Amino acid sequence: MGHGYTLAELAQRSGCELHGEGDIRVTGVGTLRHAGKEDIAFLANPHYRRYLPDTTAAAVILAPQDAAGCPVPALVAANPYLAYAHIASWLMPARPHRSGVDSTARVDASARVHAQAWIGSGAVIAAGAVVGRGAEVGPGCVMLEGAQLGEDSRLVANVTLCERVSVGARALLYPGAVIGADGFGIARDGEAWVKVPQLGAVRIGDDVEIGANTTVDRGALEDTVIEDGVKLDNQIQVAHNVCIGAHTAIAGCTAIAGSTRIGKRCMIAGGVGIAGHLEICDDVVVTAMTLITHSILVPGVYSGSLPMDTAAQWRKNSVRFRQLDELARRITSIEKKLKD
Amino acid sequence: MGHGYTLAELAQRSGCELHGEGDIRVTGVGTLRHAGKEDIAFLANPHYRRYLPDTTAAAVILAPQDAAGCPVPALVAANPYLAYAHIASWLMPARPHRSGVDSTARVDASARVHAQAWIGSGAVIAAGAVVGRGAEVGPGCVMLEGAQLGEDSRLVANVTLCERVSVGARALLYPGAVIGADGFGIARDGEAWVKVPQLGAVRIGDDVEIGANTTVDRGALEDTVIEDGVKLDNQIQVAHNVCIGAHTAIAGCTAIAGSTRIGKRCMIAGGVGIAGHLEICDDVVVTAMTLITHSILVPGVYSGSLPMDTAAQWRKNSVRFRQLDELARRITSIEKKLKD
Amino acid sequence: MGHGYTLAELAQRSGCELHGEGDIRVTGVGTLRHAGKEDIAFLANPHYRRYLPDTTAAAVILAPQDAAGCPVPALVAANPYLAYAHIASWLMPARPHRSGVDSTARVDASARVHAQAWIGSGAVIAAGAVVGRGAEVGPGCVMLEGAQLGEDSRLVANVTLCERVSVGARALLYPGAVIGADGFGIARDGEAWVKVPQLGAVRIGDDVEIGANTTVDRGALEDTVIEDGVKLDNQIQVAHNVCIGAHTAIAGCTAIAGSTRIGKRCMIAGGVGIAGHLEICDDVVVTAMTLITHSILVPGVYSGSLPMDTAAQWRKNSVRFRQLDELARRITSIEKKLKD
């Protein structure tokens, strides 16, 4: 991982407080348990505090309250995970910059690909598409007519950008992501369905990350919008005309139905379902596998899933759930009797 | 969007009742709030009624009860969303018809591709596959041995049809859809698993739409069947030997386990789970994130998910859920005491 | 399906007990209801016992307790589904072995592809990647830098193996599977997020099956690990640094959050969510759509999802759920009153 940095250099650059010798040199990163002797580790999740006393790391990035228990030099940070993120990125070898068009790629004559962009093997860039300076379109990716990819953005491999989708700068899209498929717009006509044309596009801001096999549908009339700094994990479904506010992060397998607007800086866990046409305000946190069927107008933490139990115990309670309304009526009736 | 139509023309062709001047010409569509001055808008979801008084649209498609409140000419329809679907499709520019085989596509010598079909860049058509008249196989799509695509059907991009899958006419499959992967058939042998050969195929009818990254597995012995007019949203999982009846619509991220039969004209919301070997009759509606573990033999609406709450309140109630059986016993015991 | 086997041959090879004439020849397999006259059927799920008396099959593989009711010759097995799996695989025509590199594939000069491996149309094998003897890389698959595919493994089509992912022998990966995308590692910095480098890889053992559109993320520091014999259905999400123990089987649409360790021989149903940093011990069974938020240290069956009801009945009970804590308090208060 390169020649690395001394702890003093890392402390200065990251703004951490150095505890211990500053001239120790670290060249890589590792876990508390398995770090090599030139690796720096970090402690952020208290779950892993038990590994600190015996750590094999050269040094550890940790919070003030853990500094006393650290057997090796430490970089002390208010947010050790953030400090680690920066330090790990400095220690990583930079990805080599690539440019040029692979001979097996297919670039339409009317597409505009920047001379410093890279188009990988088998990629397809259709008419009118635009690939910005420093952008990378990996192997097997498809950009349909008029799709745009901003500067220094990367489509890793097998990503699809449909017609007129635009992606901002420094975006990172993982394999299997599909941006701009038609929204699920159908109108009933007797027993059949008539397709409602999906005429909008998808607009994705800067510094957005979109996970593997995540899908973001194009808008019906206006655009589906993913604002700057949004981070989407794998296998998320974003329906037509959803708007996701800046710096919101969403974990895997969450689904958001059409026309819902999600605020800024929200944190939505995995497997959540959000119904259509809702407003979720800024700074909302939703726990895993919750179903949201009403708008949320007050920042805070929201939940909606039951904790598992042994199947035997669960069965007893879930049978009672089906009697819950009746049980409540019986309580009221008892109370009435006692009063009389 | 072309030279458009007068309101009188649209009223006649769509069967809507015209309120206001018939010679106003519309050339496009828009939302109530943002339509341009040559755009027609629609009002179907009452949620958006508040935008009607100030609409910027040239005209609005709406239901009889909304006609009086419309400040601009109106096309009045019993089902405004359906009327809009038709009108929008007429106002859209037709997609140009494409035919021919891109030079970077790979078509096996034994495949049959109609002269008026289109095979896009990097697409692969394996031995014995058949592509019908007017069909389009977009960039990066793969049709494995013996797969068949019907007339005027379209695989948008990066779609995979596995061996011997057949797709009818006018189907529309979005990127990342995978039709005909092996079903999840495994038999336990001591602590290991033995693969059960998946010998069936998938048969998809006419006028079917299949969303991005949706998967439909091939049958174990007989075929998995998707009947005519079925509409599947994104990221749906359809296991081996499922049969989905004609004109059933299913929203995103729903999963259907093996050998279940779903009736005609059902509407199944997103995130629903349906266990295997069940029968769901015609005209069943299921709300979001419901788990179905028993057959449904009576048409109607079925639910199974709890509405979210603040995390603090939720925690209190969910703890009680684990005591529910005990609570019910206590109620019975109280009732007994009162009786004695 | 080839010239087939006599029942006596099948009985001997599979270890089944033969009931009836041994010289009957079967050439294929079918269901109890629709098998042809040279087909063998099986009865494993009691749900289908009703089709046994009128079966059209030449013979049936079944359990001892069903032998008496079988109108045709039978192969009797303790585990009929397993016996069927073996027998069906013998009756199937073997897939033809393919080798060579398609002219439209792109293999980097530094990649090592065994002479008896096959690289299909449009596949991309990047620098340093390795494809073992007898392995198949189907059309449209991408192996990024340093990815490794073991002997006799198959990537069906449009599969993506990211940098340095390694897959063992005899693995089977279905279309749209993405192995080794970056884990969802982000650290908050004010209102924005900083990416945490994902430096680990994914190590997949031997005899693993991975379904269509399933995603397995690379580890943050150490590797994500899928041990030998694991079977993953479609659209499963496996986050960074998860470890799945040998011979565990997981059904579709289940999601496992980061750093969770799942034991050996577990059976996890579809739509399950498992939170991060948990330990699930060996031999755990989880039913569909359960959310697991705590470690499971005792083998057994665990559940957490409610059975659906008619929407009307469901609504009544789910309203009461929000009063559950209050109802419990009222019961306690009544009990107190009765005691006084």
Side-chain angles (χ1 to χ4, degrees), chain A residues 136-139 141 154-159 172-175, chain C residues 144 162-163:
Chain A
E136 300 195 2
V137 178
C141 292
R154 181 182 177 208
L155 309 181
V156 173
N158 282 332
V159 171
L172 194 39
L173 278 75
Y174 290 97
Chain C
L144 293 181
C162 295
E163 296 87 347

Side-chain angles (χ1 to χ4, degrees), chain B residues 223-281:
Chain B
D223 294 344
T224 303
V225 176
I226 311 284
E227 293 185 356
D228 293 347
V230 167
K231 308 294 179 186
L232 301 182
D233 195 2
N234 296 351
Q235 299 199 39
I236 290 169
Q237 152 68 358
V238 179
H240 50 184
N241 297 105
V242 165
C243 176
I244 302 180
H247 308 300
T248 281
I250 304 182
C253 303
T254 281
I256 306 164
S259 299
T260 282
R261 298 178 65 84
I262 296 178
K264 298 181 199 302
R265 298 174 303 275
C266 293
M267 291 194 290
I268 299 176
V272 168
I274 306 183
H277 301 279
L278 304 184
E279 295 277 334
I280 311 295
C281 68

Side-chain angles (χ1 to χ4, degrees), chain A residues 248-264:
Chain A
T248 282
I250 304 182
C253 304
T254 282
I256 307 163
S259 299
T260 282
R261 298 178 65 84
I262 296 179
K264 298 182 198 304

Side-chain angles (χ1 to χ4, degrees), chain A residues 20-112:
Chain A
E21 282 183 69
D23 55 358
I24 288 175
R25 179 168 295 274
V26 295
T27 57
V29 291
T31 59
L32 285 173
R33 274 198 290 179
H34 300 129
K37 65 186 164 72
E38 293 199 342
D39 289 346
I40 191 164
F42 73 102
L43 171 58
N45 184 334
H47 187 68
Y48 297 103
R49 189 172 287 145
R50 53 188 157 150
Y51 300 124
L52 184 59
D54 299 317
T55 186
T56 57
V60 179
I61 306 161
L62 41 63
Q65 68 269 26
D66 289 315
C70 186
V72 294
L75 295 180
V76 179
N79 182 344
Y81 194 47
L82 174 61
Y84 166 75
H86 287 304
I87 288 170
S89 71
W90 302 330
L91 287 166
M92 277 178 70
R95 292 187 67 241
H97 178 70
R98 297 187 274 200
S99 62
V101 177
D102 187 273
S103 64
T104 61
R106 175 75 165 179
V107 179
D108 188 89
S110 68
R112 285 186 290 133

Side-chain angles (χ1 to χ4, degrees), chain C residues 234-283:
Chain C
N234 296 350
Q235 298 198 39
I236 289 168
Q237 153 68 359
V238 179
H240 50 185
N241 296 105
V242 166
C243 175
I244 302 181
H247 308 299
T248 281
I250 305 182
C253 304
T254 282
I256 306 163
S259 299
T260 283
R261 298 178 66 84
I262 296 179
K264 298 182 198 302
R265 298 175 303 274
C266 293
M267 291 194 289
I268 299 176
V272 167
I274 306 183
H277 301 279
L278 304 185
E279 296 277 334
I280 311 294
C281 67
D282 296 344
D283 301 302

